[in-house]
Amino acid sequence: MAAHIRRRLRKGATTTAVAAAAVAALAASQAPAAPLAEGAAGGDQQAAGGESGGPEDGAATGNSPYYTDLPPLITPDRPGSSSNLPAATGSAEAGIPASVLAAYKQAERTVGTTDPACRLPWQLLAAIGKVESGQARGGQVDANGTTLSPILGPALNGQGFALIKDTDGGAYDSDAVHDRAVGPMQFIPSTWATWGQDANGDGRKDPNNIYDAALAAGRYLCAGGRNLAVAADLDRAVLSYNQSTEYLRTVRSWFAYYQRGTHEVPDGSGVLPTAPSTPTPSPTPSPGGTTSPTPGGTTGPKPSPSPSNPGGTKPSPSPSKPGDGSASPPPTPTPPRPTPPPKPTPSPAETFGSLENAGTGPLTATAGGTFEERVSVRARNALGAPMAQLPVTFTITGTTGTLFDGGKKKVTVISKADGTATAPALKAGEKTGEFIVTATAGTNRPRTLTYEASVTARQADKIVRVGDKALVAAPGEKFADAVTVKATHKGIAAPGVAVTATMVKDSLGLIDNDKGPYFKDADGKPLRTLDLTTHADGLLQLPEIFADENPGTYKLRLTTEGGGSVVIELTVQAPEETAPEESETPEETTPEESETPEA
């Protein structure tokens, strides 16, 4: 009886009564009951008007084909339950490849942290993974959990499947015309674009990686605030993955089976399912409305009834008299139009997949200088491997005047064997500010990367006065000697460096002064702060300096971009007054003193 029920389940139950009988049989054989939510059972057609619960009206897989194999009717050997089951009664089916099982359990832990109300069980992911891809084709994955070869469903071209035109330029499914379900959890590209995850920390969201795909499936099933511990929410979640009640019943059966117990098997040794649900595409009508030939039948349109032919029988040709001209000449056959050969679909290894930074560091340079860093990207194909011979275009956007070496704002570079493409060196313009470098690759759905860059002012780490003559002026007069300085950067003359000259009070040059020496503005008014720029040789001669009426010793501070600084002393004093020298003349005598009486 159990075997009979099992054969009927493998064909797909068509009524609620059959589903109930199957559940009873499972329970009688110590397999767990897997009750369907009310209204979920009944038939193997797509659910009409059912709630998808996902972000889109369609299903995560695009309702692509799946495996309909059901689990054995004998419960897997779980510790503490049936301990004497023969080795061939389900232990192989209960085994899940190690990497695949680890991915399901990791997804359960991750979702349990970010969305604990969902109560996602890893066994549900295992059930879906079994039905969608046979646990990644029996665990055919590498050490990172990526399938050894892409798992692709048939083209969703409307011929027996849903009609979903290409949404990813063939990046994931290598089909630029129609979408296909991709990877061990069989996401269509449009759904992956929304729900894709990076669960293994390699910086990529790869539907062919079981860790990424399992986490994406977990988050998708939890969408809309579902609590998967509630049967109705679980049914809606599964139907959102593939809108078929047969699919729901199959997933439910494996879910219950794995809940009873499972074990880990080595990668690559899982049991592969054998019964796909792929529907037979409808026949394509021949041009002109004729039907295709059938074995033992005839071709051509069936005659239709008419007033002159009420039975719809095929009329016999009317006899014509020889030579009366009533017979119509045979029609001239139209040569068939040659059918162009189909374009070959590129393999995933030939399909551009992604563009990533290849280690480009901070992009900054002083005005007129050369950027030490060069923009570098790495192209990968749809399998995630480096992709060579791919044109990558680099474009500069901004107003700093920065150009690539050679004087261009746009250049195209072909990627090398390791997938890298490196732009020519950047030459900074004379205007300071920010600009953008964009790397673009691909034609159907171009991928882009943007890099921020900046041009800073020229710098000088040292500035000194040229000459050491004392700078002195009388009150109200002009300093006779000009002040000249030289700016250098790492010992080399620094042209075009901004220099700020300020009259200050203290020797450290920290306090501005409002009296003493000054410059003049264009209107001849006193000006005690001035912004200047060094010449090509790094030299700078300051404008004329004037003294006001306040004598004393003053300071002139000059600073540069880059930290250079110098303080110069200015003295305002009146000229010293010198006394005339005394002339040596004979002493004058009075007449009385010169005349003496005679004795």
Side-chain angles (χ1 to χ4, degrees), residues 341-404:
K343 294 182 179 179
T345 301
S347 68
E350 298 172 333
T351 304
F352 174 49
S354 64
L355 199 64
E356 62 186 37
N357 185 4
T360 306
L363 296 169
T364 182
T366 57
T370 300
F371 285 75
E372 294 184 1
E373 284 284 334
R374 294 171 64 180
V375 179
S376 183
V377 300
R378 176 174 284 104
R380 295 188 181 275
N381 60 25
L383 298 177
M387 187 170 188
Q389 299 300 310
L390 180 73
V392 181
T393 300
F394 299 90
T395 306
I396 298 173
T397 304
T399 59
T400 63
T402 300
L403 300 171
F404 290 112

Side-chain angles (χ1 to χ4, degrees), residues 289-588:
T290 59
T291 59
S292 301
T294 57
T298 59
T299 60
K302 183 179 180 180
S304 301
S306 65
S308 61
N309 186 20
T313 58
K314 186 175 181 180
S316 300
S318 301
S320 57
K321 295 180 181 180
D324 66 356
S326 60
S328 300
T332 303
T334 303
R337 179 179 297 178
T339 302
K343 294 182 179 179
T345 301
S347 68
E350 298 172 333
T351 304
F352 174 49
S354 64
L355 199 64
E356 62 186 37
N357 185 4
T360 306
L363 296 169
T364 182
T366 57
T370 300
F371 285 75
E372 294 184 1
E373 284 284 334
R374 294 171 64 180
V375 179
S376 183
V377 300
R378 176 174 284 104
R380 295 188 181 275
N381 60 25
L383 298 177
M387 187 170 188
Q389 299 300 310
L390 180 73
V392 181
T393 300
F394 299 90
T395 306
I396 298 173
T397 304
T399 59
T400 63
T402 300
L403 300 171
F404 290 112
D405 193 9
K408 296 182 178 180
K409 296 188 72 172
K410 179 184 288 189
V411 294
T412 299
V413 179
I414 305 300
S415 63
K416 298 187 295 185
D418 62 354
T420 60
T422 303
L426 290 165
K427 300 289 186 179
E430 292 298 331
K431 186 176 180 180
T432 61
E434 308 290 329
F435 67 95
I436 297 292
V437 180
T438 303
T440 306
T443 54
N444 293 331
R445 287 191 64 191
R447 273 49 166 193
T448 62
L449 283 179
T450 57
Y451 297 82
E452 294 182 354
S454 62
V455 177
T456 60
R458 295 173 184 264
Q459 296 185 348
D461 53 21
K462 188 175 183 181
I463 184 169
V464 297
R465 183 189 169 199
V466 177
D468 56 1
K469 185 177 180 179
L471 299 170
V472 181
E477 299 295 331
K478 179 177 68 174
F479 284 81
D481 297 304
V483 176
T484 301
V485 294
K486 183 174 184 178
T488 58
H489 181 67
K490 296 182 179 180
I492 301 175
V497 174
V499 177
T500 300
T502 307
M503 299 298 177
V504 294
K505 290 182 179 181
D506 59 318
S507 58
L508 296 178
L510 301 177
I511 304 174
D512 294 355
N513 207 341
D514 58 358
K515 63 180 181 178
Y518 60 91
F519 304 104
K520 286 185 179 180
D521 64 12
D523 297 328
K525 296 180 180 179
L527 190 68
R528 290 188 167 86
T529 297
L530 203 60
D531 292 325
L532 305 165
T533 304
T534 60
H535 302 303
D537 53 3
L539 294 174
L540 172 64
Q541 180 175 309
L542 273 62
E544 293 179 327
I545 301 174
F546 300 86
D548 63 7
E549 299 298 331
N550 300 290
T553 300
Y554 299 91
K555 309 291 182 182
L556 169 63
R557 180 193 65 200
L558 295 105
T559 57
T560 67
E561 291 283 347
S565 178
V566 64
V567 176
I568 301 172
E569 189 173 281
L570 303 172
T571 302
V572 178
Q573 67 178 20
E576 293 183 2
E577 296 182 359
T578 57
E581 295 182 0
E582 295 181 358
S583 59
E584 295 182 359
T585 56
E587 294 183 357
E588 296 182 357

